[in-house]
Amino acid sequence: MTPMTLLTRVRGDITRQHVDAVVNAANSSLLGGGGVDGAIHRVGGPEILAECRALRAGRLPGGLPTGQAVATTAGRLPARWVIHTVGPVYSRAEDRSHLLASCYRESLRVAAELGAETVAFPAVSAGVYGWPVADAARVAVRTVAAAGGDGPFAELRFVLFDDRAFAAFDAELQALGPQPPGENR
């Protein structure tokens, strides 16, 4: 990360974040779903779905592959863009952490290409995809801390929906050491 990049965490609703880009924990169809994906599509409105359908009709006819990212408008969200990424389903039999890390790296790459300075991330794969929240936090925080310097970022924010996820991400961020002053509630 650049010396001025804040790595922060908040407990809240990702659809209410005033940032340049919000990351959507999407499914490969890009056509909406449950959890974060459903909330972003509901609050953002039909403009997001229209751009996702255009992506599916054009360069992503088979959907978005796991670990990749693509951007659309943010519609009615208080952000400029939504960066959709497909997290892996957790497996005890196979280590898929490289795919989870790729979600964060690819989202940062897309954000940098867009010129986004502030990005809000959910806990990708830690919901219905079953990734244990403490391990999801470890992968997310370490990946974002390492890859965040590859772009023009002022703030990279984790937005956690519940106390358990907030505590896991907070512990990982505390393990990184002191952060510059910022919104770390």
Side-chain angles (χ1 to χ4, degrees):
M1 291 186 313
T2 63
M4 300 304 290
T5 301
L6 293 175
L7 194 57
T8 63
R9 68 289 213 179
V10 298
R11 187 182 182 298
D13 180 345
I14 200 162
T15 67
R16 295 179 180 211
Q17 302 301 305
H18 292 266
V19 292
D20 294 329
V22 295
V23 175
N24 179 19
N27 63 51
S28 63
S29 77
L30 296 177
L31 302 179
V36 169
D37 193 20
I40 285 174
H41 277 272
R42 274 190 308 280
V43 176
E47 299 88 353
I48 296 171
L49 182 58
E51 283 195 33
C52 287
R53 284 187 173 140
L55 286 166
R56 290 295 311 273
R59 66 182 182 136
L60 296 170
L64 185 63
T66 300
Q68 298 300 304
V70 66
T72 65
T73 181
R76 292 182 237 147
L77 295 172
R80 294 178 65 190
W81 302 285
V82 173
I83 299 171
H84 307 268
T85 191
V86 180
V89 173
Y90 179 73
S91 170
R92 288 185 177 149
E94 177 186 354
D95 181 9
R96 298 178 179 167
S97 58
H98 66 286
L99 291 170
L100 184 56
S102 180
C103 291
Y104 291 97
R105 275 193 308 276
E106 287 297 305
S107 293
L108 287 167
R109 179 189 59 75
V110 170
E113 288 174 359
L114 293 169
E117 293 181 7
T118 54
V119 182
F121 295 93
V124 176
S125 290
V128 296
Y129 284 11
W131 208 283
V133 70
D135 193 52
R138 179 188 61 79
V139 172
V141 169
R142 290 179 186 180
T143 303
V144 170
D150 292 339
F153 307 113
E155 181 185 9
L156 301 172
R157 179 186 310 166
F158 294 103
V159 181
L160 296 314
F161 190 71
D162 63 29
D163 290 335
R164 190 169 146 238
F166 181 86
F169 277 75
D170 186 57
E172 287 297 325
L173 285 163
Q174 293 297 327
L176 289 180
Q179 296 292 308
E183 189 175 314
N184 292 311
R185 340 178 223 121

